[in-house]
Amino acid sequence: PVLARLVRGGLPSVRKINLKGCSGHTGRIPDEIGNCAELRALQLFENALEGPIPLVLLRWKFVEGRSIELRGNAGLEIPADISDIGDFSELDLKGHNLRGPIPPIILRWKFMDKHTIDISRNQALELPADVGDMLDRVAVMDLSNHGLQGLIPLKLLQYKFVDDREILLNSNTGLVLPADIGELGDGVSE
């Protein structure tokens, strides 16, 4: 991987790295990318990168406004420590082929704190098991076209079908109903 060799080779003063469409560029983005403190533009889209996005890249893009492009990779993930990103006005991660669990803080920021967050048009994101716990304070949750997969938490379905809240899960072909859906009563339909 070219990026790993570049970063580990010690380039603290590099200002731009363009590895757009390097189909042989696979694996994770090395955490050492943070050592390139002067980096102002990083083009890594249309590669085969996967794994958690280093938090420093998200901070540079959404807090400091640096040009960081990661769209079209094989399967990047939202890092679990995303809550440490700092102050941001917008978090746009749509179309990044993201997969893996959505950190609960992302949904809290989007639906409770009303931050501008877009995680739609992704590849295989998974809902956190406790997503239903935040719905006691949320009337509408639109998760349509987010590339969601995996088990739908029962509590989320309870809010949708029993409490009649607006929970939109359209165009997420990888979602699976829980085996215990019958516990919600007779009025529940797929």
Side-chain angles (χ1 to χ4, degrees), residues 165-186:
R165 303 242 183 123
E166 192 169 353
I167 311 296
L168 304 172
L169 298 168
N170 309 2
S171 301
N172 289 299
T173 57
L175 288 174
V176 178
L177 292 172
D180 53 353
I181 192 170
E183 292 178 19
L184 296 179
D186 296 333

Side-chain angles (χ1 to χ4, degrees), residues 157-165 184-185 188:
L157 293 172
Q158 175 186 339
Y159 279 113
K160 179 174 179 60
F161 294 112
V162 178
D163 298 346
D164 202 28
R165 303 242 183 123
L184 296 179
V188 177

Side-chain angles (χ1 to χ4, degrees), residues 69-81:
E69 185 55 65
L70 303 170
R71 294 179 200 274
N73 276 286
L76 293 172
E77 301 168 15
I78 301 170
D81 61 351

Side-chain angles (χ1 to χ4, degrees), residues 6 25 28 38 40 47 63 66 82 100 108 117 136 143 145 148 166 179 181:
L6 283 173
H25 195 68
R28 294 176 175 252
E38 297 300 315
R40 296 293 176 252
N47 282 288
V63 178
R66 298 185 195 190
I82 187 83
R108 177 176 297 284
I117 295 180
D136 58 340
L143 293 168
N145 196 25
L148 296 174
E166 192 169 353
I181 192 170

Side-chain angles (χ1 to χ4, degrees), residues 91-154:
L91 191 63
D92 182 358
L93 292 170
K94 76 174 169 266
H96 280 69
N97 288 343
L98 296 173
R99 64 179 177 185
I102 301 170
I105 191 68
I106 293 284
L107 298 176
R108 177 176 297 284
W109 286 337
K110 180 177 177 83
F111 296 111
M112 294 173 67
D113 300 343
K114 305 296 184 191
H115 286 295
T116 303
I117 295 180
D118 191 347
I119 55 171
S120 66
R121 296 191 336 228
N122 278 295
Q123 176 176 301
L125 289 171
E126 301 163 15
L127 289 169
D130 61 351
V131 67
D133 295 341
M134 69 177 60
L135 286 173
D136 58 340
R137 293 177 270 162
V138 176
V140 177
M141 183 177 276
D142 186 354
L143 293 168
S144 301
N145 196 25
H146 279 57
L148 296 174
Q149 72 171 17
L151 193 65
I152 304 171
L154 187 63

Side-chain angles (χ1 to χ4, degrees), residues 20-62:
K20 174 189 175 195
C22 296
S23 57
H25 195 68
T26 62
R28 294 176 175 252
I29 301 170
D31 289 329
E32 293 87 355
I33 192 76
N35 296 337
C36 299
E38 297 300 315
L39 191 64
R40 296 293 176 252
L42 178 62
Q43 305 302 317
L44 293 176
F45 53 98
E46 298 172 6
N47 282 288
L49 296 169
E50 54 190 16
I53 301 168
L55 184 61
V56 68
L57 291 184
L58 296 176
R59 187 175 295 125
W60 285 349
K61 180 176 178 86
F62 297 113

